[in-house]
Structures are given as structure tokens and as C-alpha cells.
Amino acid sequence: MALALGEAVIKAPVASSGRHRVRVSGDVDRRAQGWLAEQPGPLLVEPWREVVAELAVHGEIAADGTVRVLGVQRFGASGGAFRGIVLGPPDLGLPGEVRAFLHAQGRAPDRIVRGLTALAARIGADAAAAGLRGPFGVDARIVRVDGALRLVPVGDLNPRPTMGHLGRALRARLAGGATCGVWLFLPVRALGDPVAFAARARAANPVVVRGGRLASGAVATNDPATARSLLTLAWVAPTWRAAVDALGEVLPPGVAPLTGWIAPR
């Protein structure tokens, strides 16, 4: 069995957290064939693209069906698993080439953000008409195709609260000005002792509170002592460069492949 698309991803229409999908290249191997045989209905087949940035639009649908789009954030994932979200504007930390694409080479600042916001509003209206109420999210991607950047405006529709909604609430608790950072989801197996790691993080980036809001610091957002799968960490600094440089000194080598999205090359 071969695919004319070459390298591709085959996904179930309803999936979550990188599950219910298989990646193939040319011939479909035995593992993929087994997965395909288990699927009860139609599948989505997409070319596999190099993802250079992942964006999420968050919204909510009121009880009367009114749609409100809350904003656009940049997030990170690896192997389909959510790894964290940028606590700042969606272009924060992106390479110059990708930032320029996001802003149409300076000719139309926020062009893509405005377009994604309008698209999410339309999707939200359709979802509201179908009976959905409450939070929802739409994931988008910037990909590289034959050396050029392209926008995939709708990758996934999440008819539920997302980590982005929580990240947005966390960002609202940061001090004003240039304060920014990341909210990271780190596998415990890559950290060793999560309690010791959290202590090192706090020592490297002590908490500073200004006006009742976090101005800088490393704050574990779940209990390191009981973390079994993931340790979630808010890492905040006055500037993005300060945040990235200090974080690089703290993260163990095994985590590096999972955090390349923070400051992609």
C-alpha cells in the first residue's frame, strides 16, 4: 500500500493530544496498517509539513449564542503533545523571517492575527448554531513548503476549554510593561527529581511581585512533590531574551528537544 502524497499524516476526525493519528512515508508499514484497519469511518489525510510556529485563537460562546474572540497566542507542541504557551504577543520569540511573514513584511501589521480572529469568529458562529456553548479554540500553523512560509489557518477545532484559555488567564496575572515568559509542560521523566528541579528553577529566577502581580520568577503551577507525569512551570522575566537565556541555563539536556519552539532557529 502506497500514498501518492509521500510523507503524510492520517488523522481521525475526532482526536486529542496527538493521539488517533499515524504518520506515514510512502509505503504504509504494518503498524500503520493495523491502526487504519481499526478506524470505524472516514479519515483525514494531510501532507506532513515542517511547522515553524503554532498559533491558537481562543473564544467563548455565551448562553445566547453570542461569540467573543479572546485573542491569539503562540504555543508549542512536540509529537502532537502540548508543551506550553508563550505568555506574550503571538510573535514573541519568533525568528525575524517568521515574524515578518506574520506581519506581511511590515506592509500589514497583524494581518494574520486579524484574519485568524475573523475566521475564529465565523467558526464560533457556526459552532453556536450547532449548539455549542462555552469556551472553544481554533489551532493554526505556519509551515514551510518548498522553502516558503505558508499559513494553515485551521488545523484543529477544540470545542472545549483549552490550555490556551488558562495561559491567557495566567498572562493577565503578570505585571505590566514588557514582562513576558512561557508556561511550560515538562515531562517528569526528563527532569529527574521534580522537587529538586523546581528548587533550582526558583533559585535561578527568584519570584518578584510588583503591585500584586508577577514581575519575574519561576513558579511551579502544580505540586512538584506529587507530579508524576508533568511538571508545569511559569517562567517569567522582564524581557524575552532574559527569559530565554536564563531558562536555557536551568533546563536539563533531555528537555531541549521539547522546548525548541520557545526560540526556534
Side-chain angles (χ1 to χ4, degrees):
M1 180 179 180
L3 288 177
L5 290 174
E7 194 168 17
V9 59
I10 306 174
K11 302 189 294 185
V14 179
S16 64
S17 302
R19 297 188 294 271
H20 311 105
R21 71 175 194 171
V22 64
R23 182 176 173 181
V24 298
S25 181
D27 291 338
V28 178
D29 61 25
R30 185 170 299 175
R31 179 184 64 87
Q33 290 182 30
W35 182 86
L36 291 169
E38 295 171 356
Q39 304 312 304
L43 298 169
L44 304 173
V45 181
E46 300 175 354
W48 184 265
R49 303 300 191 193
E50 177 193 355
V51 178
V52 299
E54 305 205 60
L55 305 171
V57 193
H58 306 108
E60 58 186 19
I61 304 172
D64 65 357
T66 301
V67 177
R68 184 162 73 105
V69 178
L70 304 174
V72 180
Q73 290 177 281
R74 184 164 75 88
F75 71 97
S78 64
F82 180 83
R83 296 301 181 190
I85 199 159
V86 172
L87 302 176
D91 62 354
L92 191 61
L94 288 175
E97 175 198 16
V98 185
R99 189 182 304 111
F101 175 81
L102 198 62
H103 298 299
Q105 312 300 324
R107 296 188 300 273
D110 297 327
R111 176 198 63 166
I112 288 179
V113 169
R114 292 198 308 269
L116 291 176
T117 299
L119 180 59
R122 292 181 59 183
I123 292 173
D126 289 343
L132 181 67
R133 296 295 184 268
F136 72 95
V138 180
D139 292 346
R141 302 178 182 92
I142 298 175
V143 301
R144 193 180 302 278
V145 180
D146 297 329
L149 298 179
R150 298 285 185 268
L151 176 68
V152 180
V154 181
D156 299 288
L157 169 62
N158 301 304
R160 54 173 172 77
T162 68
M163 290 300 179
H165 287 87
L166 297 179
R168 182 176 180 275
L170 180 58
R171 182 183 173 189
R173 301 305 303 166
L174 302 187
T179 302
C180 59
V182 289
W183 186 31
L184 292 170
F185 283 54
L186 303 172
V188 168
R189 66 179 183 277
L191 298 177
D193 180 352
V195 174
F197 171 79
R200 291 196 303 273
R202 289 194 302 271
N205 191 10
V207 170
V208 176
V209 175
R210 186 171 65 245
R213 296 178 182 275
L214 183 63
S216 63
V219 179
T221 50
N222 65 327
D223 186 352
T226 58
R228 296 293 177 267
S229 177
L230 294 170
L231 177 69
T232 61
L233 181 75
W235 184 275
V236 177
T239 68
W240 180 256
R241 179 45 54 194
V244 171
D245 288 348
L247 186 60
E249 298 296 323
V250 173
L251 292 177
V255 176
L258 310 179
T259 56
W261 59 273
I262 295 174
R265 299 299 178 215

